[in-house]
Amino acid sequence: MRLPSRSHTRTRRAVALAAAATLVTGGATGATNGAFADPDDRAGRDRAGQDGFYTKKTPTSRGYGGAVTSVDPEASRVGVRVLRNGGNAVDAAVATAAALGVTEPYSAGVGGGGYFVYYDARSGKVRTIDGRETAPFEMPADAFVNERTDEPYRFFPELVTSGVSVGVPGTPDTWDVALDRWGTLSLGQALRPATAIARDGFLVDKTFRDQTRDNKERFDAFTSTRRLFLPGGHAPRVGSVFRNPDLARTYRLLADEGVQAFYRGPLARQIVRTVQDPPKTRSTDLPVPPGFMEIGDLKQYDALTQPPTRSDFRGYDVYGMAPSSSGGSTVGETLNILERFDIADMRRIPALHHYLEASAFAFADRGRYLGDEAFVDVPLADLLSDRFARERACRLDPDTATKKPVPAQDVDDYDGRCGGGSDSGRSERDTEGVSTTNLTVSDRWGNVVEYTLTIEQTGGSGIVVPERGFLLNNELTDFSYTEGPNHPNQIDGGKRPRSSMSPTIVLRDGKPFLALGTPGGSTIITTVSQLIFNRVDRGMSLPRAMRVPRASQGNTTAAYGEPAFIERFGAALEDYGHEFAAIEELGAATAIEFRRGGKLVAVSEPTRRGGGSALVVREQR
Ligand code: GLU
């Protein structure tokens, strides 16, 4: 067993009365009235649609005084009400995330993890929280090999639906740390609106029903999951009301007893039991390998506050997540490579060629160097340096696509003039799911939160903790367990698997210009890069940058392309040597742009994942 080398201590807040917090934090970030008018009040769902449920989707909103954008109307609504009631961006982000845990339970929730990026208006600084799920300390490097057969477990069905892939959840602690450091509400106050939705229910939409049906076999494999998500043996109908009273109770437990009620005590013991001995139904054929989690793993979990990555891109400062996520360094490197070219003056096809190539180079380096920094030395300074980007750009042929996979660049051997050495090119096996969810929040004081959270696969491990109303993640499948023992993202006890999550805040002259993020597994990196490329290099408006078709080149022979992308640009890019594989859609992004005079442009997806909901506090100044 090896313990992580970094440690993190902090004082958990005892009683966080918002009014008291206001006194401490002052007017710049504090809530004014300290609480919600009455967040449990259904009448609060004003301007709601059918039966009082808030279902209206608004892909773009323009206005002032703060904004919330997420994939879900109920969740965005919760966040914007927190802002209107005097909460700050951190309060609203936690409240929105908690609501997503109810309405998007297959993408995120207290059984998972994520990354939280925060711009603090008062100090002008960007801070981050790494709330990544962590491997149990006793998890061996060969945990994904079946002891009985000596054969590696298959990804489907063994690893995806298993106890062995469940990492120690980081989301509850992320919420607690965020509120404790920068919020004005207590955890209990921030959880209240989501608790009401869990108790009273939300309207099932097509996405929820489809996701339930796609997971039917594995949800049916667990007594707890079947009971919650397959009432009467079937996926809930579109338009029916879905209630989760168990989750409402779990949220109330956290509200009453604090986050330690998750990491120690009866709930923690129950999580451990569920991981070690998943509650399989008698009828299932799924193997469901058990996991290694113990109570000590939960007790020792800490969400980590840490500095962001930073890179400059055409006069903007781009802040992202440092390892354990590969998001910040890979988005940063992609943009740094693009910066070496005059993309704005190019026609569309050559510009897209450069985008695809830059991303393949950055992915090669990600595969070679990125892992949990507590266990491996990640050469972040090299990967994000302009000299390194110059070296990489030397290999980008403006007229021809490089043969994929491209090799990684040796970080000990580069001079920025193409003199350096590289290893042999190899693609990594990509097993990251394409679930997850993302939200962007800003407040009237100018604070900004970009937060991506996940349980990995859509439906996570498929295992609901009995009578607690939430799914456990299968995040440990993000380890690179097929890449050999020396890979920086190899399994290790106490280690965090490398992520692609890329919540990003872009500043101009020290002030927010753009905040953005998305789900999508490894394509998160390319979608965030492409959005910035569209907005900054191609000069698109943010709604248009969001709408146009996407492609993702993660250093594989064929890049993923949305059908509309392939239809419009595929043939011309194939002339350069690019290859494409069609994928239905890439990402479900959210973003806010900060314009002059305090104007906000809040954007969510018009159609991807059923369309999102971007709301502003006020439409008029
Ligand atoms: N597990 C993935 C990651 O950490 C996220 C999965 C997704 O976005 O769907 O990068």
Side-chain angles (χ1 to χ4, degrees):
M1 182 171 90
R2 185 170 144 202
L3 293 170
S5 57
R6 84 191 144 184
S7 67
H8 169 76
T9 50
R10 67 193 165 77
T11 30
R12 290 191 196 284
R13 116 168 76 193
V15 188
L17 285 175
T22 307
L23 289 179
V24 176
T25 55
T29 53
T32 48
N33 66 358
F36 308 99
D38 179 6
D40 279 25
D41 176 10
R42 288 305 298 259
R45 294 183 177 185
D46 52 321
R47 286 196 281 125
Q50 186 184 345
D51 302 330
F53 295 98
Y54 195 80
T55 53
K56 186 164 168 255
K57 298 193 173 179
T58 318
T60 298
S61 289
R62 293 180 175 79
Y64 299 86
V68 179
T69 164
S70 82
V71 76
D72 182 69
E74 290 272 12
S76 295
R77 182 73 182 152
V78 160
V80 97
R81 292 194 70 216
V82 171
L83 295 177
R84 285 183 187 146
N85 284 303
N88 72 13
V90 173
D91 303 325
V94 173
T96 305
L100 288 167
V102 180
T103 59
E104 294 275 304
Y106 307 144
S107 297
V110 288
Y115 296 91
F116 192 103
V117 179
Y118 169 60
Y119 169 80
D120 181 70
R122 225 170 17 161
S123 62
K125 295 233 171 354
V126 178
R127 316 265 186 214
T128 76
I129 303 173
D130 174 329
R132 185 65 160 170
E133 298 93 328
T134 301
F137 286 111
E138 294 297 343
M139 186 170 184
D142 63 356
F144 288 171
V145 174
N146 188 339
E147 264 182 8
R148 274 185 293 120
T149 60
D150 232 14
E151 291 292 320
Y153 290 126
R154 289 165 301 175
F155 186 68
F156 288 111
E158 281 98 328
L159 285 181
V160 166
T161 310
S162 72
V164 75
S165 309
V166 180
V168 181
T171 292
D173 204 37
T174 303
W175 295 351
D176 193 52
V177 171
L179 291 171
D180 191 30
R181 301 230 161 182
W182 312 306
T184 70
L185 298 182
S186 68
L187 183 60
Q189 288 169 319
L191 291 179
R192 244 190 262 162
T195 309
I197 300 174
R199 182 194 63 205
D200 299 338
F202 61 91
L203 278 193
V204 169
D205 64 6
K206 184 170 178 310
T207 307
F208 186 85
R209 177 170 167 83
D210 289 350
Q211 290 178 340
T212 312
R213 289 169 79 167
D214 292 346
N215 278 290
K216 191 154 185 257
E217 189 195 352
R218 54 200 212 106
F219 286 0
D220 212 23
F222 304 101
T223 49
S224 50
T225 316
R226 182 159 71 184
R227 194 172 306 129
L228 179 60
F229 291 125
L230 298 171
H234 304 288
R237 273 180 305 107
V238 173
S240 63
V241 177
F242 187 87
R243 296 186 180 83
N244 191 340
D246 288 345
L247 183 57
R249 268 190 293 278
T250 299
Y251 279 177
R252 268 199 294 274
L253 175 73
L254 300 186
D256 293 345
E257 295 183 19
V259 75
Q260 59 273 18
F262 189 93
Y263 291 100
R264 29 188 90 219
L267 174 51
R269 284 197 293 278
Q270 202 182 356
I271 292 170
V272 166
R273 255 199 321 277
T274 307
V275 169
Q276 290 183 1
D277 186 14
K280 282 169 72 169
T281 48
R282 266 194 229 115
S283 53
T284 185
D285 294 331
L286 292 180
V288 194
F292 295 86
M293 197 183 295
E294 290 176 8
I295 194 78
D297 294 310
L298 282 149
K299 281 189 183 154
Q300 287 185 55
Y301 185 85
D302 262 326
L304 306 166
T305 47
Q306 60 184 30
T309 57
R310 192 191 79 80
S311 51
D312 47 56
F313 175 60
R314 304 197 198 276
Y316 298 89
D317 289 304
V318 181
Y319 290 91
M321 270 318 302
S324 55
S325 182
S326 61
S329 66
T330 316
V331 169
E333 186 184 340
T334 303
L335 297 176
N336 281 347
I337 297 170
L338 283 171
E339 199 182 13
R340 316 266 72 87
F341 301 93
D342 207 350
I343 304 288
D345 282 350
M346 290 179 190
R347 298 181 69 83
R348 185 158 52 195
I349 297 297
L352 285 170
H353 162 69
H354 281 74
Y355 155 66
L356 294 169
E357 290 295 277
S359 158
F361 288 113
F363 262 81
D365 301 327
R366 164 189 182 265
R368 170 83 173 74
Y369 296 111
L370 265 292
D372 182 351
E373 269 200 304
F375 288 76
V376 290
D377 289 327
V378 180
L380 263 188
D382 292 296
L383 295 173
L384 285 169
S385 79
D386 282 334
R387 183 148 63 101
F388 192 78
R390 275 200 298 277
E391 184 80 19
R392 294 311 259 147
C394 292
R395 295 178 201 275
L396 198 162
D397 182 333
D399 302 314
T400 312
T402 320
K403 189 172 165 336
K404 314 289 183 312
V406 301
Q409 174 66 47
D410 186 344
V411 291
D412 294 321
D413 182 15
Y414 68 95
D415 55 14
R417 292 191 301 272
C418 311
S422 52
D423 64 11
S424 59
R426 54 201 300 259
S427 293
E428 285 195 305
R429 186 168 166 220
D430 182 3
T431 53
E432 283 177 46
V434 284
S435 166
T436 308
T437 198
N438 184 82
L439 56 107
T440 314
V441 181
S442 70
D443 66 25
R444 68 176 88 160
W445 298 280
N447 304 301
V448 182
V449 173
E450 188 62 47
Y451 183 23
T452 315
L453 62 163
T454 187
I455 54 173
E456 191 355 65
Q457 204 79 21
T458 305
S461 65
I463 310 172
V464 165
V465 181
E467 282 151 40
R468 301 294 189 165
F470 66 90
L471 283 156
L472 291 168
N473 69 83
N474 63 332
E475 210 70 53
L476 304 184
T477 56
D478 278 0
F479 279 121
S480 305
Y481 50 91
T482 56
E483 303 294 322
N486 297 322
H487 194 280
N489 188 33
Q490 178 57 269
I491 297 174
D492 209 336
K495 190 174 177 180
R496 296 173 181 219
R498 181 193 68 198
S499 172
S500 301
M501 287 187 266
S502 311
T504 304
I505 296 181
V506 182
L507 305 187
R508 181 171 47 192
D509 302 327
K511 295 270 183 283
F513 163 66
L514 190 62
L516 72 166
T518 181
S522 61
T523 71
I524 289 172
I525 291 167
T526 50
T527 293
V528 167
S529 303
Q530 191 175 0
L531 279 164
I532 297 173
F533 162 86
N534 285 345
R535 176 68 192 88
V536 174
D537 270 348
R538 304 303 296 161
M540 293 180 198
S541 69
L542 187 60
R544 182 166 150 73
M546 181 71 73
R547 198 170 57 235
V548 295
R550 295 181 184 144
S552 173
Q553 175 44 276
N555 200 24
T556 49
T557 311
Y560 289 123
E562 292 182 332
F565 185 95
I566 297 177
E567 198 177 302
R568 285 166 63 185
F569 315 123
L573 287 164
E574 275 160 20
D575 288 345
Y576 282 74
H578 292 283
E579 294 178 40
F580 293 98
I583 185 164
E584 199 180 329
E585 57 185 37
L586 288 166
T590 67
I592 299 176
E593 181 169 331
F594 303 83
R595 312 288 294 264
R596 265 178 244 275
K599 180 154 190 194
L600 305 167
V601 183
V603 178
S604 65
E605 297 284 359
T607 55
R608 294 179 185 96
R609 210 181 285 174
S613 175
L615 301 174
V616 290
V617 168
R618 291 191 312 278
E619 281 171 9
Q620 304 302 325
R621 205 178 241 291

